[in-house]
Amino acid sequence: MSKNSAGSRIPAGSKVSVRGLRKSFGSNEVLKGLDVEISEGEVVCVIGPSGSGKSTFLRCLNKLDELSAGTVIVDGFNLSDKTVDLNEVRQHIGMVFQHFNLFPHMTVLQNIMLAPVELKKQSTATARASALKLLDRVGLAEKADARPAQLSGGQKQRVAIARSLAVNPDIMLFDEATSALDPEMVGEVLQVIRDLAAEGMTMVVVTHEMGFAREVADRVIFMADGVIVEEGTPAELFGNPQQERTQDFLSKVL
Amino acid sequence: MNMSRAGKLSVAVTALLALAGGFVGVSAATASQPNSHVQPQTAVTGETYVIGTDTTFAPFEYRKDGELTGIDMDLIRDIAANQGFNVEIKSLGFDAALQALQSNQVDGVIAGMSITDERKLVFDFSDPYFDSGVQMAVADTNTEITGYADLAGETVVAKRGSEGETFANSIKDEYGFTVKALADSATMYDDVKAGNSVAVFDDYPVLAYGINQNNGLKSVTEKEQGSSYGFAVNKGQNPELLAAFNTGLAELKSNGDYQSILDKYLEQPAPVAASGFFGLLSDSLPALMKGLGLTLLATGLSILVALVLGVLFGFCKVSESRVLRGLASIYVSIFRGTPLLVQAFFFYFGLPQLTGQPIDVLTAGVLTLSLNAGAYMTEIVRGGIQSVDPGQTEAGRSLGLGYVTTMRRVVLPQAVKIMTPSFINQFVMTLKDTSLLAVIGFAELTYQGQQIYAANFRTGETLLIVAALYFIVINLLTMLSNQLDKRFNK
């Protein structure tokens, strides 16, 4: 690994290493001790009922939420270390939100160019060229000068994905990326994620799309009540769930 | 006269001073140094004294064509010329002038002020220069009231805290009428003309002058024996000025100048016909436009400072530091939690007494308005920032942008758009709030209007013109702001 400017970079086999992660909001403990290892190029889908802590888990991986206890090492950065430069860390971790969170006062192109220009001191011309390339990749080259308000939900989410790819992340986090979409738009967004997986991107995908998880995931994690109840390959987890709660959940959603 | 009210006020202010203790005493004493004199007692020659007076107490002081005129004004100017010193007149209002004198903002006060024992405790008075007295007047169409005996069961009006009120109260039981108190002569005369009261008790020179200006009243009794008016300096301050006034007054009396001044204002000239509305408009417009200019100046300066304060404290309010948040909250609660009028009085009268540094009325006014508006701006900025979806900050931060960059590029552009209508609203509020500065003698639009109707007694028409000017300016500025908003906040 060459990116070692942020002090406590730890060379490790795992891309993501989570040990004993706990997270409380006030007196409400949402994560009750998680242990997860994710290796490079792996696609992990996290499923589970709402309130199980899936999103909080994801937000702990780029420290949008503070950790209450445990260690999280992502891409060699120890997030439990207070001195770690979060801005540096987050450039290695892309995140896609349920509600897109595009910047409404900028055009599509400006949304994508903002971080590269602000962070990497790319010239505007270079940033523009790579932004256009990214837009082309998500099939929205013709929307470069549109405002987010002029896009459909599916288009917005594809722009959001392009935006987070613009800083060349090593890991992508998807937080229920298709939950806010009309059903007919889910497919186009999943296709983009599928393409990313095919290119070997390490990804953690919190999703309600069981079909997608079964198809794309290398591993599926089932969470409930702040703990990992069961994990395994899609075939194992969907075909032969061991835990009663997993069976229960799957019988309701499949 | 407007007197005993100010007597009480003086006592209160003196008590405040006493509470503030030695510090104030020392600093107040040094405060008059810039105006005072290398060799006290001897030379007033060439010195410039700041003299406070009432805004309008015709015929003693009032404005004619924008210039301060009247018996007091002629007298103090002629005495100054006679004794070789200069005067700078500050038209502050009666209470305000007395407070200014106590805080050494002015060197002397001439404002048709009765010499009373109460006042002698805090001021040094000159020899009396005028003998006043209370007189009763009724509407000129009223033929039923010809004396006190006709007042049974009726309501009369008198100026709050004045000798007229004292006199009316002293005979109300005997004649069986009720006394209502109002703040100034013009309002009292309107009250009588409107029929809300049947008669007014006011100082005879004031009444005589008003009747002469076609105020719609007539006097029906002889004047009662009244008190004497004197020129005042702060207790123990400026003795040479007081001496020069007395010498000058004596000389004016002996050379006939004194009598011709009285005749000029109190002799019964032929009543002048009132000009029409447009006459009033063209007569009053120059003074009103001058006032409007000051209104806009005070508004502009205040809004600029308030904007800086609002952004500064607004960011404090959304910051993660508890200390900064607390600081901003204290600021906001102080200035939102006290009336603007009290703040204006405090900055103009209170602050100089605490610091010993005189403060000019524009500075005090802008200080008041900007600190006040700044508190509201703080809340506007805080509200604007907080109303931006937190997901926007999360998106910015998750891209690796720092707090400042995220604020600058993502949150603020959206927040400013949200804040703009509130900013425009605050701007309009502040413009209107400048009218409150009239009470500390800031010569803005409302003040100019008061000056005009106090002299010509055409309250309704004058206020209509003043209101129309505010209306036009505010709506023009609102339209302009909305245009700018549309252009820059698409």
Side-chain angles (χ1 to χ4, degrees):
Chain A
M1 305 242 141
S2 58
K3 302 166 234 162
N4 53 4
S5 56
S8 55
R9 202 87 191 264
I10 302 160
S14 297
K15 210 61 173 158
V16 176
S17 174
V18 176
R19 300 276 164 80
L21 171 61
R22 287 174 180 275
K23 171 65 187 177
S24 303
F25 293 101
S27 60
N28 179 25
E29 191 169 48
V30 179
L31 299 181
K32 300 169 182 167
L34 302 188
D35 298 291
V36 180
E37 299 288 329
I38 298 171
S39 45
E40 183 152 9
E42 197 177 6
V43 177
V44 174
C45 284
V46 184
I47 61 170
S50 31
S52 57
K54 310 182 295 286
S55 288
T56 305
F57 164 59
L58 206 65
R59 293 164 60 88
C60 284
L61 296 185
N62 70 350
K63 234 178 161 188
L64 276 186
D65 283 340
E66 287 286 333
L67 321 177
S68 300
T71 37
V72 173
I73 297 167
V74 178
D75 210 12
F77 294 102
N78 184 356
L79 300 192
S80 323
D81 180 354
K82 298 279 182 205
T83 63
V84 77
D85 179 358
L86 282 177
N87 294 337
E88 160 81 14
V89 173
R90 285 169 180 157
Q91 290 170 46
H92 299 280
I93 310 168
M95 186 163 197
V96 176
F97 301 87
Q98 180 178 356
H99 296 287
F100 333 126
N101 296 350
L102 290 182
F103 307 134
H105 56 298
M106 300 179 185
T107 64
V108 163
L109 205 59
Q110 287 167 338
N111 262 277
I112 300 172
M113 289 163 60
L114 177 69
V117 171
E118 288 286 340
L119 292 172
K120 306 201 163 170
K121 314 290 177 215
Q122 266 185 25
S123 71
T124 314
T126 320
R128 188 184 169 82
S130 7
L132 283 170
K133 221 175 276 175
L134 281 168
L135 269 183
D136 194 39
R137 194 161 141 195
V138 299
L140 287 171
E142 79 282 9
K143 296 289 184 187
D145 295 319
R147 296 253 171 186
Q150 299 165 298
L151 304 180
S152 73
Q155 291 171 330
K156 281 181 192 167
Q157 196 59 295
R158 284 189 278 158
V159 172
I161 294 171
R163 179 177 68 179
S164 54
L165 289 174
V167 287
N168 294 321
D170 303 319
I171 301 170
M172 286 289 286
L173 310 176
F174 291 88
D175 188 5
E176 303 191 18
T178 58
S179 297
L181 297 177
D182 291 337
E184 74 270 21
M185 293 170 182
V186 170
E188 61 191 71
V189 173
L190 290 183
Q191 186 54 47
V192 173
I193 303 176
R194 201 177 278 123
D195 292 347
L196 275 174
E199 289 164 25
M201 177 69 78
T202 309
M203 300 200 285
V204 185
V205 184
V206 170
T207 185
H208 291 295
E209 300 291 331
M210 297 306 147
F212 175 78
R214 193 198 297 255
E215 173 204 335
V216 177
D218 298 311
R219 181 156 45 119
V220 179
I221 292 176
F222 172 66
M223 279 181 72
D225 293 330
V227 296
I228 293 173
V229 177
E230 189 170 354
E231 60 181 303
T233 64
E236 288 166 358
L237 198 108
F238 289 112
N240 186 20
Q242 301 297 304
Q243 301 291 324
E244 197 183 331
R245 287 162 87 185
T246 319
Q247 295 161 2
D248 211 40
F249 173 75
L250 290 175
S251 72
K252 282 175 190 151
V253 297
L254 287 179
Chain B
M1 283 271 10
N2 345 12
M3 307 302 119
S4 52
R5 87 186 125 139
K8 275 178 208 145
L9 219 151
S10 322
V11 174
V13 173
T14 313
L16 256 177
L17 274 169
L19 269 179
F23 160 67
V24 174
V26 171
S27 49
T30 51
S32 66
Q33 285 308 316
N35 281 334
S36 103
H37 331 293
V38 189
Q39 296 158 306
Q41 306 298 338
T42 55
V44 292
T45 314
E47 292 289 344
T48 297
Y49 293 96
V50 181
I51 306 295
T53 187
D54 202 349
T55 45
T56 41
F57 182 46
F60 290 92
E61 41 266 335
Y62 62 100
R63 277 180 200 272
K64 195 173 180 197
D65 304 327
E67 292 299 312
L68 264 177
T69 182
I71 295 172
D72 283 345
M73 298 302 99
D74 286 5
L75 209 52
I76 190 74
R77 283 174 184 141
D78 286 3
I79 288 173
N82 183 279
Q83 295 292 304
F85 63 91
N86 302 311
V87 288
E88 182 192 327
I89 307 286
K90 285 208 166 161
S91 171
L92 301 171
F94 188 79
D95 288 345
L98 294 197
Q99 289 170 57
L101 184 56
Q102 286 190 310
S103 52
N104 291 308
Q105 298 251 52
V106 298
D107 300 308
V109 164
I110 186 162
M113 171 162 52
S114 300
I115 303 170
T116 64
D117 290 340
E118 253 180 336
R119 290 206 179 108
K120 281 183 184 169
L121 296 175
V122 281
F123 302 125
D124 290 330
F125 279 97
S126 71
D127 298 334
Y129 67 85
F130 187 83
D131 294 320
S132 182
V134 174
Q135 200 174 20
M136 181 174 89
V138 297
D140 57 11
T141 52
N142 188 332
T143 52
E144 284 154 25
I145 312 279
T146 54
Y148 304 144
D150 301 320
L151 294 175
E154 304 286 1
T155 298
V156 305
V157 65
K159 202 183 291 181
R160 192 174 303 129
S162 71
E163 283 191 351
E165 186 187 21
T166 311
F167 175 74
N169 278 323
S170 72
I171 61 166
K172 68 175 178 187
D173 290 337
E174 185 183 340
Y175 295 102
F177 59 86
T178 313
V179 180
K180 175 166 88 177
L182 286 176
D184 65 86
S185 294
T187 320
M188 293 197 299
Y189 303 161
D190 285 340
D191 200 55
V192 172
K193 277 189 287 180
N196 299 331
S197 316
V198 296
V200 53
F201 284 79
D202 206 355
D203 296 286
Y204 102 85
V206 182
L207 264 184
Y209 173 77
I211 288 165
N212 207 265
Q213 296 289 307
N214 297 306
N215 71 353
L217 301 187
K218 61 180 177 188
S219 58
V220 285
T221 57
E222 292 300 308
K223 80 162 176 172
E224 301 292 332
Q225 186 55 46
S227 63
S228 301
Y229 293 176
F231 167 76
V233 294
N234 207 0
K235 195 87 184 160
Q237 305 274 332
N238 297 311
E240 75 292 347
L241 175 61
L242 202 57
F245 184 93
N246 285 336
T247 315
L249 179 63
E251 287 195 20
L252 261 53
K253 275 183 173 171
S254 65
N255 70 16
D257 191 12
Y258 175 78
Q259 191 54 47
S260 61
I261 290 176
L262 289 197
D263 289 347
K264 178 174 159 195
Y265 293 98
L266 295 180
E267 222 181 37
Q268 300 288 325
V272 289
S275 59
F277 178 78
F278 290 102
L280 174 68
L281 186 63
S282 68
D283 285 349
S284 56
L285 220 47
L288 291 180
M289 292 317 267
K290 218 158 72 184
L292 185 60
L294 281 174
T295 291
L296 292 175
L297 175 69
T299 307
L301 289 174
S302 303
I303 281 291
L304 275 182
V305 179
L307 199 62
V308 173
L309 289 173
V311 169
L312 215 69
F313 284 108
F315 273 103
C316 287
K317 273 224 138 175
V318 297
S319 86
E320 285 171 12
S321 153
R322 195 174 299 176
V323 177
L324 291 180
R325 280 205 310 269
L327 216 67
S329 293
I330 291 170
Y331 164 65
V332 170
S333 42
I334 288 176
F335 284 92
R336 279 209 313 196
T338 53
L340 185 59
L341 206 54
V342 173
Q343 293 166 15
F345 279 134
F346 176 79
F347 283 116
Y348 191 57
F349 300 120
L351 206 58
Q353 290 187 358
L354 294 176
T355 62
Q357 282 298 318
I359 185 167
D360 72 88
V361 68
L362 176 66
T363 310
V366 168
L367 201 62
T368 307
L369 287 178
S370 51
L371 282 168
N372 187 275
Y376 289 95
M377 291 279 204
T378 299
E379 286 302 307
I380 293 171
V381 170
R382 179 197 59 77
I385 291 174
Q386 289 183 345
S387 65
V388 174
D389 176 12
Q392 293 288 309
T393 308
E394 288 181 357
R397 297 309 301 273
S398 72
L399 285 170
L401 302 176
Y403 175 81
V404 175
T405 310
T406 306
M407 266 290 164
R408 183 170 59 82
R409 296 299 310 272
V410 176
V411 178
L412 282 185
Q414 300 180 59
V416 166
K417 195 169 161 181
I418 297 168
M419 293 175 212
T420 306
S422 305
F423 276 142
I424 295 173
N425 198 35
Q426 184 59 48
F427 174 61
V428 169
M429 302 273 280
T430 299
L431 198 155
K432 288 191 287 193
D433 284 347
T434 54
S435 67
L436 287 170
L437 299 183
V439 298
I440 56 171
F442 182 60
E444 46 66 63
L445 182 53
T446 302
Y447 174 93
Q448 299 285 2
Q450 289 173 340
Q451 297 283 340
I452 290 165
Y453 68 69
N456 66 13
F457 302 100
R458 296 169 72 175
T459 316
E461 291 162 285
T462 309
L463 284 176
L464 212 60
I465 297 172
V466 167
L469 283 174
Y470 276 115
F471 180 86
I472 291 167
V473 166
I474 285 171
N475 280 287
L476 280 178
L477 287 172
T478 308
M479 275 162 58
L480 181 72
S481 308
N482 287 336
Q483 285 298 323
L484 293 176
D485 182 24
K486 264 187 208 144
R487 177 169 305 178
F488 293 110
N489 284 333
K490 275 190 300 194

